[in-house]
């Protein structure tokens, strides 16, 4: 007969820690299936020969999240009126704790976001990843690009200094020269005939509510389509060309966030 030694204190502590971590995850999974969804997203299969260029989309997503977080912090101190806008920005830079850092991250992060979006789009183009069946995701991407640039444009006016003011005059006038819709577009952006306090309010609303909301929604659709359609192999892929046999043998199940198994709630992860 084999007698098992009693678990050491370290083992008992580890077991308790695991239970403490797994309990809320199992609770959430049973009621929403969200944990399974995240596991599916993180551990789904992708072609074996993808490369670093295919991380540019995730890098763009990270840049967007940084912009959203720093933007929310800035919005707690920024005042969108012609009399207070510039001084509130000065206050953020000079007096708010770490304000200079948050503002710097948001300002430079905007350029990083746009550059990454272009690099990601270049990768998709060079790999031919816009072709069937991913045309719709390319169109979603084009909308994301347009909205990303509108974010940059509307954000530029917010400090309400000379550079911001005149850059917006130029931008609005350029939009005004567009055929058919141009004059209406310029009027809409100015929120009237002249650039005024109303323009600042309009740009602020577009910059912190309308555009980030729309971009967030489009990113969700973009990611859904990526999961549904899978990631494209590089054009030089021997696997995709059928020259190399991919081993399709089932791999060992990964434990992931919670152990796979029935939802009996007996704490053994479904093990018989
Ligand atoms: C906010 C901006 C964007 C975010 C956060 C984003 C995110 C992503 C991510 C995470 C992926 C999967 C990994 C990868 O291929 O890098 C991806 C793929 C893709 N993206 Fe984007 N993207 C954005 C903008 C764009 C733009 C501007 C385009 C093109 C106009 C585009 C078109 C595509 C296409 C067609 C795919 C599928 C590629 C494939 O199957 O290999 N995306 N995107």
């Amino acid at each position: 007969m084999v007698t098992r030694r009693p678990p050491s204190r370290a083992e008992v502590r580890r077991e308790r820690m695991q239970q403490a971590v797994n309990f809320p995850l199992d609770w959430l999974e049973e009621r929403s299936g969200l944990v399974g969804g995240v596991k599916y997203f993180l551990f789904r299969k992708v072609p074996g020969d993808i490369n670093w260029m295919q991380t540019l989309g995730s890098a763009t997503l990270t840049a967007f999240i940084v912009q959203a977080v720093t933007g929310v912090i800035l919005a707690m101190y920024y005042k969108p009126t012609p009399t207070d806008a510039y001084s509130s920005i000065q206050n953020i830079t000079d007096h708010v704790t770490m304000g200079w850092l948050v503002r710097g991250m948001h300002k430079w992060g905007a350029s990083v976001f746009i550059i990454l979006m272009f690099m990601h789009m270049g990768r998709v183009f060079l790999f031919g990843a816009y072709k069937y069946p991913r045309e719709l995701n390319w169109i979603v991407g084009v909308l994301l690009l347009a909205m990303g640039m509108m974010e940059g444009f509307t954000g530029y006016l917010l400090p309400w200094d000379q550079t911001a003011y005149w850059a917006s005059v130029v931008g609005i006038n350029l939009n005004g020269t567009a055929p058919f819709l141009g004059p209406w577009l310029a009027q809409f952006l100015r929120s009237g005939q002249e650039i005024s306090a109303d323009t600042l309010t309009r740009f602020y609303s577009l910059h912190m509510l309308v555009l980030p909301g729309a971009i967030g929604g489009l990113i969700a659709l973009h990611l859904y389509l990526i999961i549904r359609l899978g990631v494209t192999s590089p054009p030089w892929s021997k696997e995709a060309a059928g020259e190399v046999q991919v081993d399709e043998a089932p791999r060992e199940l990964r434990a992931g966030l919670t152990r796979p198994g029935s939802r009996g709630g007996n704490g053994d992860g479904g093990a018989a």
Side-chain angles (χ1 to χ4, degrees), residues 151-205:
E151 270 288 50
F153 178 57
T154 49
Y156 206 78
L157 178 67
L158 301 185
W160 201 252
D161 55 9
Q162 287 290 321
T163 322
Y165 183 90
W166 291 107
S168 302
V169 169
V170 173
I172 291 173
N173 288 347
L174 272 175
N175 277 289
T177 60
F180 308 116
L181 282 180
W184 176 85
L185 197 59
Q187 173 98 4
F188 170 77
L189 288 171
R190 273 193 307 257
S191 186
Q193 293 299 329
E194 301 287 330
I195 294 197
S196 65
D198 292 344
T199 319
L200 185 58
T201 315
R202 177 142 307 180
F203 271 46
Y204 187 52
S205 150

Side-chain angles (χ1 to χ4, degrees), residues 41 44 50-64 113 116-118 120-125 127-131 134-146 148 215 218-219 222-223 225-226 229-233:
F41 177 66
R44 71 193 195 284
I50 54 171
N51 64 36
W52 280 99
M53 278 189 267
Q54 272 142 316
T55 58
L56 285 169
S58 305
T60 315
L61 181 60
T62 309
F64 176 72
F113 175 54
L116 282 172
M117 245 191 317
F118 272 103
H120 168 58
M121 185 173 71
R123 189 296 281 173
V124 170
F125 180 73
F127 280 28
Y130 53 85
K131 294 180 194 164
R134 297 185 178 81
E135 302 95 321
L136 182 60
N137 219 10
W138 175 265
I139 293 169
V140 172
V142 171
L143 292 176
L144 279 170
L145 185 70
I215 291 178
L218 284 172
I219 288 180
H222 202 59
L223 294 181
L225 289 173
I226 291 158
L229 302 170
V231 176
T232 314
S233 284

Side-chain angles (χ1 to χ4, degrees), residues 30 262-268 270:
E30 267 189 65
S262 68
R263 294 172 177 170
N266 56 3
D268 66 354

